[in-house]
Amino acid sequence: MTVAFTQLSANLEAIAQQGLYRSRRIIDSPQGVQLQLDGRTVVNFCSNDYLGLANHPAVVDAFKTAVDQYGVGSGSAHLICGHSMPHHALEEELAAFTGRDRALLFSTGYMANLGVMSALLGRGDAVFEDKLNHASLLDGGLLSRARFKRYAHADVESLNVHLENATGNKLIVTDGVFSMDGDFAPLPALSAMAKAHDAWLMVDDAHGLGVIGEHGGGLLDYYGLKQDDVPVLMGTLGKGLGTFGAFVAGSDALIETLIQKARTYIYTTALPPAIAEATRASLKIVIAEDWRRDKLTKLADRFRLGAEQLGLQLMASASPIQPIVIGDSQQAVDISNALLHAGFLVSAIRPPTVPQGSARLRVTLSALHEEQQIDRLLDALDKATRQ
Ligand SMILES: *Cc1c(COP(=O)(O)O)cnc(C)c1O
């Protein structure tokens, strides 16, 4: 082996010694509350398929029917010949759903975030990010070449200090529902702050869309914030909506700017049209079936009450993301392994995904969980955290 590769091995060894080594598990079933893993069935408490739509029969059917009509591949980028009827219809439905003038599909949320920020910002501008923002937002900010400032988590005062010294175009960026904590960004205050400083506000509502707000309109809907209040909304389709892809919604000028300038929009293959059709079917279910959100609230309440009684350290979350704070990375991994042994899949989230010393078990709930499964998870957590 060359010296460079010997160095890689040494680095991997160091990662392992800190309890930070990451590895994949091979699933051999559709997504759902029960997964097939290594030849056995485990109860899934780590998916972002909060509403249980990833394998919903109507969504699967829509996908199959669309494959018969449109085939599998989209053939090219949207601007060449890859923009099909299903994409266009889905964009219109997403715009209506979010109460925005227009929406634009991206192939993933990661790409949407990189694309928006690079299109709106450049040298001489400034971007302000919550410390706990998703990696794709942080990368988008760095890639944009704008001056990059992180403010203390959900701390509007800390943001204010940074804004006062800023020049050029200003973009404030935040997760809506924070992906690893489950808490809500203080959007009304952020929106007021953005207006006061003539800054844009961008919200990534990957974990709120479909899950929070009346009919699943997301965190902006929950707070009653319109396009004027939050000019840039990013949402993903691979979580609450159960499919794949992402979109950005906002004014006509925003969307046209992205079509002209967002490199991760222009230079990439469009989503398969069948994915768009499947998403149209899942969006209908999201809007119609309030019981899925009601059930999630009930399950989260039950989980929190039980966890408190066991003395487990919860976070301030009103979402289906209910992390249990452990602290030490290796300990979080050990507990996750013990839970798996007991038949529950719960992932240990470690730095650098979360801050040093705040490794956690990221328990996520699905509308398809049964109360009994929550109770059994709590039992297993009790045993695993005592060992
Ligand atoms: C998952 C996630 C993304 C990335 O979306 P993908 O479609 O999976 O690439 C972006 N932002 C947040 C907050 C996320 O949780």
Side-chain angles (χ1 to χ4, degrees):
M1 257 201 300
T2 65
V3 176
F5 276 91
T6 314
Q7 184 60 44
L8 290 187
S9 305
N11 292 349
L12 289 170
E13 189 60 34
I15 292 171
Q17 260 164 19
Q18 294 166 276
L20 297 178
Y21 206 85
R22 299 166 187 252
S23 44
R24 303 168 302 169
R25 295 199 168 93
I26 301 175
I27 307 295
D28 191 24
S29 63
Q31 280 297 313
V33 156
Q34 304 211 318
L35 294 178
Q36 282 299 115
L37 174 63
D38 294 335
R40 66 193 188 109
T41 305
V42 297
V43 185
N44 182 4
F45 278 102
C46 54
S47 169
N48 300 317
D49 178 25
Y50 305 114
L51 300 175
L53 297 176
N55 190 37
H56 188 286
V59 178
V60 172
D61 271 353
F63 184 84
K64 287 181 177 164
T65 306
V67 165
D68 286 341
Q69 197 175 347
Y70 292 96
V72 176
S74 70
S76 82
H78 284 274
L79 284 167
I80 308 298
C81 61
H83 187 63
S84 64
M85 287 285 287
H87 295 126
H88 206 73
L90 176 59
E91 287 181 344
E92 287 177 350
E93 288 160 14
L94 288 168
F97 177 58
T98 56
R100 264 64 191 164
D101 293 347
R102 287 181 65 188
L104 186 72
L105 287 176
F106 280 78
S107 293
T108 69
Y110 211 119
M111 292 168 66
N113 285 338
L114 298 190
V116 171
M117 295 165 84
S118 293
L120 295 182
L121 300 169
R123 279 201 179 82
D125 298 328
V127 57
F128 308 88
E129 302 219 21
D130 189 292
K131 273 231 155 83
L132 297 188
N133 273 356
H134 189 263
S136 58
L137 293 174
L138 302 175
D139 290 355
L142 294 171
L143 194 68
S144 75
R145 297 189 168 94
R147 260 175 313 111
F148 184 79
K149 296 281 179 201
R150 296 171 83 176
Y151 58 89
H153 177 52
D155 184 340
V156 183
E157 259 323 297
S158 152
L159 168 64
N160 191 26
V161 173
H162 288 306
L163 277 167
E164 277 179 350
N165 303 314
T167 51
N169 287 325
K170 291 166 265 197
L171 179 69
I172 302 165
V173 183
T174 183
D175 277 28
V177 175
F178 281 87
S179 58
M180 297 300 135
D181 298 61
D183 59 334
F184 296 173
L187 295 186
L190 289 174
S191 171
M193 180 75 49
K195 286 179 181 170
H197 289 273
D198 204 18
W200 290 315
L201 176 60
M202 169 175 178
V203 176
D204 171 343
D205 205 19
H207 297 273
L209 208 83
V211 174
I212 306 294
E214 221 176 311
H215 308 306
L219 198 62
L220 281 69
D221 182 35
Y222 172 87
Y223 284 125
L225 297 170
K226 307 287 182 231
Q227 183 169 296
D228 254 9
D229 305 310
V230 179
V232 188
L233 166 61
M234 195 288 280
T236 61
L237 309 175
K239 288 163 182 160
L241 275 83
T243 61
F244 188 80
F247 70 94
V248 175
S251 68
D252 191 53
L254 171 71
I255 299 304
E256 283 302 320
T257 300
L258 296 179
I259 294 173
Q260 310 311 315
K261 293 181 65 180
R263 294 165 64 83
T264 57
Y265 181 78
I266 300 169
Y267 298 107
T268 201
T269 302
L271 285 174
I275 292 283
E277 281 298 304
T279 308
R280 296 179 70 197
S282 91
L283 185 59
K284 287 202 183 87
I285 300 168
V286 165
I287 295 167
E289 300 190 2
D290 287 332
W291 69 263
R292 291 176 192 269
R293 284 173 287 277
D294 297 344
K295 174 98 175 285
L296 277 172
T297 306
K298 249 188 162 165
L299 293 173
D301 289 348
R302 189 179 185 94
F303 179 76
R304 290 183 70 86
L305 187 66
E308 261 160 31
Q309 283 167 352
L310 296 175
L312 299 172
Q313 194 188 337
L314 289 162
M315 301 189 86
S317 165
S319 75
I321 303 168
Q322 291 294 336
I324 305 278
V325 184
I326 304 298
D328 179 68
S329 292
Q330 189 56 53
Q331 203 179 344
V333 172
D334 292 344
I335 296 171
S336 171
N337 287 337
L339 289 173
L340 184 59
H341 192 70
F344 300 94
L345 188 60
V346 178
S347 51
I349 306 286
R350 293 158 286 169
T353 308
V354 294
Q356 285 297 334
S358 75
R360 65 201 65 177
L361 299 164
R362 182 174 179 267
V363 174
T364 58
L365 305 173
S366 158
L368 301 184
H369 280 130
E370 288 160 19
E371 294 192 343
Q372 227 199 53
Q373 291 171 317
I374 306 283
D375 298 345
R376 285 198 283 121
L377 171 66
L378 286 164
D379 266 355
L381 268 168
D382 189 32
K383 291 201 186 87
T385 52
R386 276 163 199 275
Q387 275 163 9

